[in-house]
Amino acid sequence: MTDRRTFLAGMLAAGAAPAVAQPSAVNRNMLIVNALGGFTDPNAKRGDGVAPPDTRTPLSDRVIKDAIASGMSAVNVTLGYVAGPDEPFEQTVREIGLWDWRVRALPDALAKVLTAADLRRAHATGKVGVIYGFQNTMMLGDDASRADVFADLGVRVVQLTYNPANKVGSGSMAVENGGISAFGRQVIERLNANRMMVDLSHSGERTCLEAARLSRQPISINHTGCRALTDLPRNKTDAELRLVAERGGFVGIYFMPFLNPTSVASAADVVTHIEHAIKICGEDHVGLGTDGGTTAVDDMAAYRAAGRKEIAARKAAGIGAKGENPDTLPFVEDLSGPGQFRKLIGQLEARGHKAARIEKIMGGNFMRYAKDVWGA
C-alpha cells in the first residue's frame, strides 16, 4: 500500500487538498490522533448521521481522501445515541453495525482500533484508525452491564453525559450541577472493568471531579477548552483539568467557537488554549479533540443558513450549549480542511514549541493514555 507521505504528495499535486506550509522541526510522518472528530461531509445534503435501518450509507471518496491527506492517524468517531426520538439502545447497535460495514468496505483506508497496538498499526500502514466512541450513556438504559456488550462490539470511549443531565450524572448545561449518581458509579465500575475510556467532555464540573476520583483508571476530557480563558460551560475549569492530569488522564482541545468569548474562534485561540492546558496539566497530558472533520465547506453561505436552523433545533430540543449562536460556525475557519493539522503545527512552531512537545500534542499523549487504559 502507498505510504501516507507518498499518498499525500500525490493528493497535493493533483489539487485534491490545498497546499500548506510544511512544519520544519517535526517528523512529517508523526502520529496524529484526533480524540474526537469524524468523517463528516459538510457539503452533503444529508450529514454523516444515522442511516435508516434498511440503508447502508458509504463514506464519500472525498471525505476519505481528505482524512488521509490530513495526516490523521486515528480518530474517535461518535456513534450511537446522543439525543433525539429514537430508542437509544437500538439506534446505537444499528450504528455500530453500520460502522463495522463501513470499515470492512474500505480495508485499504480504514482500520478499527481496539488497542494501542491497533492504533500504531493503522499509522504504520497509512490507514486512518477508527475508534468507536459514545457521547452519552443513555443506550445503557438502567443496566450498567450493557457496557460489557458494547465493549465486546468494539466501543472504546464512553462519554458519561451530553449537555443535559442523564441517569449517570449532570451535563454542562444541567442547572443543578449534580454529581455522579449511584447508577453512575456502577457504570464507571463496568467501564473500568472493560478497559474503556471514561470521557468527561460535556459534563458538569461536579460530575467530572467525582468521576475522576471514582475511576480506577485515568479518565479523559477528549474535547474541551479552558474556562479560565473563556467562561462558557462547555469549557473546563482549572480544577477539572488539573485533577484529570494528576490522575494520569488526557485532555483534548477542540476547534470550536467556545474558545473565544465572541463565539468566533481562530487558530490563535486554539494555540492559546493548548498553552493554558499545558500550564495546568503539564505537556504529557494535552492533545487534540477537534470535534470536527477534515473536509472543508464549499458554499459557506448555504452552510451558515443550514447552521442557523440546526442551532435553533438544538435549542428547541434542550441540548444546545451556551455560546452556540446562530451566526457562528461549529469549527475554526482557519483550521478547516485537510491542511488543519499542518497549519496548527506551524502555529505551535511559531510560538516556540519544540518538536518533542508538538509530537506529544499531536498524538503522542493520546497514545500514552491509550496504552494505560486499553493496554499495549
Side-chain angles (χ1 to χ4, degrees):
M1 179 177 178
T2 304
D3 66 53
R4 184 184 304 272
R5 285 171 291 182
T6 303
F7 183 93
L8 177 56
M11 292 292 295
L12 291 172
V20 294
Q22 295 297 309
S24 59
V26 297
N27 175 3
R28 296 184 184 181
N29 196 35
M30 78 173 73
L31 178 74
I32 297 176
V33 180
N34 190 350
L36 193 283
F39 297 88
T40 53
D41 184 354
N43 307 298
K45 291 183 179 180
R46 64 177 295 171
D48 189 37
V50 184
D54 60 345
T55 303
R56 285 176 169 172
T57 55
L59 298 172
S60 72
D61 290 343
R62 178 179 176 182
V63 164
I64 294 299
K65 289 177 180 178
D66 286 345
I68 294 175
S70 76
M72 185 169 64
S73 310
V75 57
N76 169 27
V77 174
T78 299
L79 48 75
Y81 182 89
V82 178
D86 288 350
E87 199 289 317
F89 183 81
E90 292 179 3
Q91 177 185 336
T92 301
V93 172
R94 185 168 68 241
E95 283 199 51
I96 291 171
L98 170 63
W99 272 95
D100 279 347
W101 175 81
R102 285 173 166 174
V103 172
R104 289 196 305 270
L106 295 167
D108 293 332
L110 303 179
K112 187 173 179 177
V113 171
L114 301 177
T115 66
D118 291 335
L119 201 161
R120 287 192 298 270
R121 191 175 302 111
H123 174 68
T125 56
K127 301 179 184 180
V128 179
V130 182
I131 303 164
Y132 288 10
F134 292 165
Q135 283 203 69
N136 209 327
T137 47
M138 293 288 287
M139 63 285 292
L140 301 182
D142 296 312
D143 185 359
S145 71
R146 283 185 177 179
D148 305 357
V149 175
F150 289 123
D152 289 342
L153 291 173
V155 176
R156 287 297 175 264
V157 181
V158 177
Q159 183 178 294
L160 296 188
T161 71
Y162 197 59
N163 289 334
N166 62 17
K167 295 178 181 180
V168 166
S170 289
S172 60
M173 297 298 121
V175 176
E176 63 271 21
N177 189 29
I180 294 292
S181 67
F183 178 64
R185 290 171 179 262
Q186 296 176 30
V187 169
I188 292 171
E189 181 179 350
R190 294 314 307 157
L191 297 179
N192 286 168
N194 284 289
R195 304 194 72 164
M196 301 164 84
M197 291 181 178
V198 178
D199 181 7
L200 273 298
S201 305
H202 286 266
S203 70
E205 182 177 20
R206 184 179 167 197
T207 292
C208 180
L209 294 172
E210 290 184 2
R213 296 186 180 104
L214 287 167
S215 178
R216 299 192 309 274
Q217 295 173 342
I219 69 161
S220 61
I221 306 170
N222 280 357
H223 60 297
T224 191
C226 305
R227 198 178 300 184
L229 301 182
T230 307
D231 188 12
L232 289 171
R234 273 291 287 110
N235 296 331
K236 292 297 185 182
T237 64
D238 285 355
E240 293 169 276
L241 299 174
R242 185 177 293 111
L243 182 60
V244 168
E246 286 175 352
R247 298 183 69 85
F250 170 86
V251 173
I253 300 300
Y254 47 29
F255 296 2
M256 289 290 281
F258 310 115
L259 299 180
N260 189 290
T262 68
S263 294
V264 179
S266 67
D269 293 314
V270 175
V271 172
T272 299
H273 280 255
I274 288 173
E275 290 175 338
H276 182 81
I278 289 173
K279 176 182 175 182
I280 301 302
C281 302
E283 68 174 35
D284 295 326
H285 300 277
V286 179
L288 305 176
T290 70
D291 205 0
T294 54
T295 296
V297 174
D298 293 335
D299 185 343
M300 190 59 73
Y303 185 85
R304 286 183 181 276
R308 285 190 285 271
K309 293 180 181 178
E310 181 181 354
I311 292 296
R314 284 171 58 82
K315 183 177 180 180
I319 62 171
K322 185 178 179 181
E324 291 182 355
N325 300 319
D327 293 315
T328 58
L329 299 171
F331 55 85
V332 174
E333 192 167 4
D334 58 344
L335 286 179
S336 63
Q340 59 188 260
F341 299 118
R342 297 186 298 281
K343 291 177 184 176
L344 178 61
I345 290 167
Q347 293 265 343
L348 291 167
E349 286 190 318
R351 290 281 295 174
H353 296 281
K354 303 303 182 185
R357 172 178 285 181
I358 292 173
E359 291 180 5
K360 289 180 181 180
I361 293 167
M362 300 308 294
N365 286 338
F366 187 92
M367 173 63 83
R368 186 274 311 163
Y369 173 60
K371 289 170 64 178
D372 288 347
V373 178
W374 298 337

